[in-house]
């Protein structure tokens, strides 16, 4: 938002990288922000279904309700992985509209930036030229950065990763990493002892290169499995702010790739 809007936009994030984006509290200060907002942007694909509808209702601002120009679901602009999978709520916190953790592939960010820029132009047509210039500038730097990341990440191709939650499917698809298991037996439900024991048996002789978790996830499960299998645990920032180095979108991918390469080198 800051990249595309510059000083024309005041941006505020409802979540931090240290919070689970599936569960955010509609605290009064957040409700007040939404009440005054011209635009609400979310990942969509039901990532925020547990809290955003209630927040929008409490804020009572028709400019940012679904269907209005001031409401944007980023996931509409990318090809979603796992959409159309049959859903059985009893099997946990499954996302029926496809995996919503779309920000871990920088090509998705490029598509979302284009859509977000169009939205800003629609809401504030007087400044259309500035939004379009910001987008062109961002896009040029972003595509160059993607080329660099793809070159740097080549050694990761063919790696096998275990992840805590299914938060990394877009990253793995982009970089050619295979997701071999999740620590959560049921998406959204914390890893169970039974499932971890089964994973210990399955990966006793290797079979994975790293175990990935996000800053807001309990480290104990990945460390427990790492100790018993020798597979390297890796903390990755799921979004901007997740680590010190991930201080902006560029730093986010620099840091993700750097941490994965380091884990592989140590293996
Ligand atoms: Zn999820």
């Amino acid at each position: 938002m800051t990249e595309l809007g510059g000083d024309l936009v005041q941006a505020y994030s409802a979540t931090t990288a240290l919070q689970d984006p599936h569960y955010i509290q509609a605290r009064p200060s957040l409700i007040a922000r939404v009440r005054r907002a011209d635009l609400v942007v979310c990942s969509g694909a039901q990532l925020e279904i547990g809290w955003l509808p209630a927040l929008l209702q409490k804020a009572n601002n028709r400019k940012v309700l679904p269907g209005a120009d001031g409401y944007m679901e980023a996931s509409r602009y990318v090809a979603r992985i796992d959409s159309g999978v049959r859903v059985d709520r009893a099997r946990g916190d499954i996302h029926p509209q496809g995996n919503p953790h779309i920000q871990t592939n920088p090509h998705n960010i490029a598509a979302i930036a284009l859509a977000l820029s169009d939205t800003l132009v629609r809401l504030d047509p007087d400044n259309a030229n500035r939004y379009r210039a910001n987008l062109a500038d961002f896009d040029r730097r972003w595509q160059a950065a993607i080329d660099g990341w793809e070159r740097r990440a080549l050694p990761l191709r063919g790696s096998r990763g275990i992840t805590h939650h299914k938060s990394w499917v877009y990253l793995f698809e982009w970089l050619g990493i295979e997701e071999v298991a999740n620590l959560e037996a049921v998406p959204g439900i914390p890893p169970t002892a039974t499932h971890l024991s089964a994973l210990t048996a399955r990966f006793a002789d290797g079979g994975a290169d790293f175990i990935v978790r996000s800053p807001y996830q309990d480290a104990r499960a990945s460390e427990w499995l790492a100790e018993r299998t020798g597979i390297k645990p890796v903390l990755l920032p799921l979004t901007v702010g997740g680590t010190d180095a991930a201080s902006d979108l560029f730093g986010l991918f620099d840091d993700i790739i750097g941490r994965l390469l380091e884990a592989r080198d140590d293996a």
Side-chain angles (χ1 to χ4, degrees), residues 22 47 95 100-101 165:
H22 304 85
L47 175 66
H95 303 298
H101 304 287
H165 178 70

Side-chain angles (χ1 to χ4, degrees), residues 20-22 47 93-95 99-101 165-167 184 187-188 216:
D20 185 339
H22 304 85
L47 175 66
D93 179 20
I94 295 174
H95 303 298
N99 190 299
H101 304 287
H165 178 70
K166 278 185 102 57
S167 316
E184 294 177 344
Y216 65 85

Side-chain angles (χ1 to χ4, degrees), residues 197-214:
S197 299
L199 291 177
T200 308
R202 188 175 147 201
F203 292 100
D205 304 315
D209 301 292
F210 33 74
I211 307 169
V212 175
R213 72 176 174 89
S214 308

